[in-house]
Amino acid sequence: MNAVVAGNLGHLSLNRPDSINAIDLEMMRGLTEALDAWADDEAVTAILLDGTGDYGFCAGGDFREILARAAEGMTIGSVFFRNEYRLIAKLAEYPKPIISIMHGMTMGSGISLAGHVSTRVVTDRVKLGQPETGYGFVPDGGASWRLARTPGEIGTYLALNSVDLSPADAIELGFADVMVPAERVGDLTAALLDADDAASPDEKARRFATEAGPSAVLARRDWIDACYSADTVEAILERLWAFSNGDVVEGLAAADSNDPDAASNAASAADALLRLSPTALVATLRSVRAASDSETLRDALERELRLARWFTTQPDLFTGVQALVAQNTETLHQDEVPEWKPAELADVDVADIVAAMQTQLRHSVFSRGLGIPEEEPAAAPESASA
């Protein structure tokens, strides 16, 4: 992680391009220390947060680090997530303007780092997503809070189906504020560094912004609302199948949808759900629904920490990440489905998930300062060492 002051701008760059800037504990420490130092530094009036390399801003959290430590019997999951969530809250609550630039792959924790600051820029080459249910986890880092505030049931759809977002989707759904073409990012950075230009970072970003166009995801809202408003994942699947077969669901038929491909899109959504971790799907639906209008970002982070800690003791997270690594190294075919445990939605223990969401941890997100506190050892699932 690089942290420099240029003019009146504090510039933070995620700098692990070989891993698409996946965030680890060392990066969290560096970001936190720089933000703390600049908060009271009168010479620094604004912050720029970006990532190095052409492939993306941030591919998410470094789960390889979590799994390696977990395989050693360490409760690194709790430590990792607690520190990450504190950093996200710090970015969201920072007393000075922060402008983030999301380019290329921006997934999971990458969205959380960049998505709660005062001005959020995406380029025309960005690819955003919450892919967690695809590797046996839940959207976290304030994601449940953000997803619950999208129009209708779109957040539920995005969270469950691990849907990728275009620049237009990101802006229309509240994940970003403006789109700046990739070839103009250098000009934007130069403008931000120009101490003689009294405009705010937000004003400077909007100088270089262009229209992103319509959101493809938002155009599907009518059938998404109809199908994803069900109370359980099983019921959502039943509605998707019925809708794709021509039945009327919640007063809507595919023929009457604003989406001309409503039936096929609903069928594809159902097929996608069948490939994802049943445990992660059930927990994700519970988590997003729990992020009510009255809840604060800090409340969501506390609940997400409890869920994240629980998932580090479950087999699906280890199975999913190992499958992801295997796919990236081409040792597992993209179409192969990991061996989720349990493999069926009906066999997921909902009571365990509810207890995980409600049980207070010994250390909450905000109970202690940044660092690695001593914690009790926790045995990882057998698949962690496979």
Side-chain angles (χ1 to χ4, degrees):
M1 194 280 299
N2 294 333
V4 297
V5 176
N8 294 328
L9 185 73
H11 189 175
L12 297 169
S13 288
L14 307 183
N15 191 21
R16 297 180 67 202
D18 291 344
S19 62
I20 318 180
N21 300 318
I23 188 166
D24 59 11
L25 280 167
E26 182 179 354
M27 292 170 71
M28 292 177 206
R29 291 193 191 95
L31 288 165
T32 300
E33 289 168 1
L35 289 168
D36 286 344
W38 293 340
D40 298 320
D41 187 343
E42 295 181 358
V44 177
T45 59
I47 311 294
L48 169 63
L49 174 63
D50 62 13
T52 59
D54 295 330
Y55 292 108
F57 166 69
C58 178
D62 190 344
F63 276 95
R64 292 193 187 195
E65 177 181 37
I66 296 174
L67 298 192
R69 300 290 186 90
E72 298 169 3
M74 302 292 289
T75 55
I76 189 67
S78 297
V79 177
F80 184 98
F81 295 119
R82 188 180 301 113
N83 283 274
E84 179 189 1
Y85 299 174
R86 288 179 185 143
L87 173 58
I88 289 164
K90 185 179 293 291
L91 288 163
E93 300 167 359
Y94 205 66
K96 298 177 181 181
I98 300 179
I99 181 169
S100 62
I101 300 177
M102 294 175 271
H103 73 281
M105 186 175 289
T106 304
M107 298 287 167
S109 296
I111 299 176
S112 294
L113 289 173
H116 295 290
V117 302
S118 48
T119 300
R120 305 159 300 169
V121 175
V122 289
T123 74
D124 53 334
R125 300 176 189 171
V126 78
K127 178 182 178 181
L128 299 99
Q130 299 283 169
E132 289 86 354
T133 56
Y135 54 82
F137 194 53
V138 287
D140 68 324
S144 64
W145 186 87
R146 182 178 58 247
L147 289 160
R149 282 153 180 77
T150 57
E153 293 293 333
I154 287 179
T156 307
Y157 166 65
L158 298 178
L160 292 180
N161 282 76
S162 298
V163 177
D164 291 335
L165 301 179
S166 70
D169 295 327
I171 292 169
E172 289 292 324
L173 301 177
F175 287 74
D177 300 301
V178 296
M179 185 187 79
V180 173
E183 62 267 20
R184 301 301 307 275
V185 169
D187 298 329
L188 170 57
T189 302
L192 291 168
L193 291 169
D194 185 358
D196 294 328
D197 187 340
S200 70
D202 187 76
E203 291 169 333
K204 292 177 180 180
R206 293 181 188 279
R207 284 181 198 163
F208 302 99
T210 60
E211 290 296 322
S215 163
V217 171
L218 194 58
R220 304 172 190 167
R221 179 180 170 179
D222 55 7
W223 66 262
I224 289 173
D225 284 357
C227 295
Y228 283 79
S229 57
D231 291 334
T232 66
V233 180
E234 293 97 327
I236 289 171
L237 272 168
E238 289 172 2
R239 289 187 183 187
L240 287 169
W241 284 320
F243 183 80
S244 65
N245 288 326
D247 293 348
V248 174
V249 174
E250 294 293 296
L252 180 72
D256 300 322
S257 171
N258 294 323
D259 177 7
D261 300 314
S264 61
N265 284 336
S268 296
D271 289 342
L273 289 176
L274 294 176
R275 301 174 54 81
L276 304 172
S277 161
T279 300
L281 289 173
V282 173
T284 293
L285 181 60
R286 290 266 175 174
S287 182
V288 173
R289 293 280 165 82
S292 63
D293 291 341
S294 61
E295 186 179 58
T296 67
L297 175 60
R298 284 192 168 216
D299 293 334
L301 290 168
E302 293 286 12
R303 185 187 62 256
E304 289 170 352
L305 176 64
R306 295 193 286 269
L307 259 182
R309 175 66 185 90
W310 182 76
F311 266 93
T312 63
T313 69
Q314 302 303 303
D316 275 10
L317 176 58
F318 296 87
T319 298
V321 174
Q322 288 168 346
L324 185 64
V325 171
Q327 288 173 351
N328 290 340
T329 57
E330 299 183 352
T331 58
L332 180 72
H333 193 274
Q334 294 286 341
D335 292 334
E336 291 185 50
V337 178
E339 295 184 5
W340 306 121
K341 296 179 181 179
E344 302 295 333
L345 285 164
D347 296 327
V348 175
D349 192 331
V350 178
D352 275 0
I353 293 171
V354 172
M357 291 172 61
Q358 296 176 346
T359 301
Q360 296 293 324
L361 298 178
R362 184 153 57 95
H363 302 304
S364 71
V365 176
F366 304 103
S367 64
R368 301 180 67 171
L370 185 75
I372 302 180
E374 292 295 326
E375 295 207 14
E376 71 285 354
E382 289 183 7
S383 57
S385 57

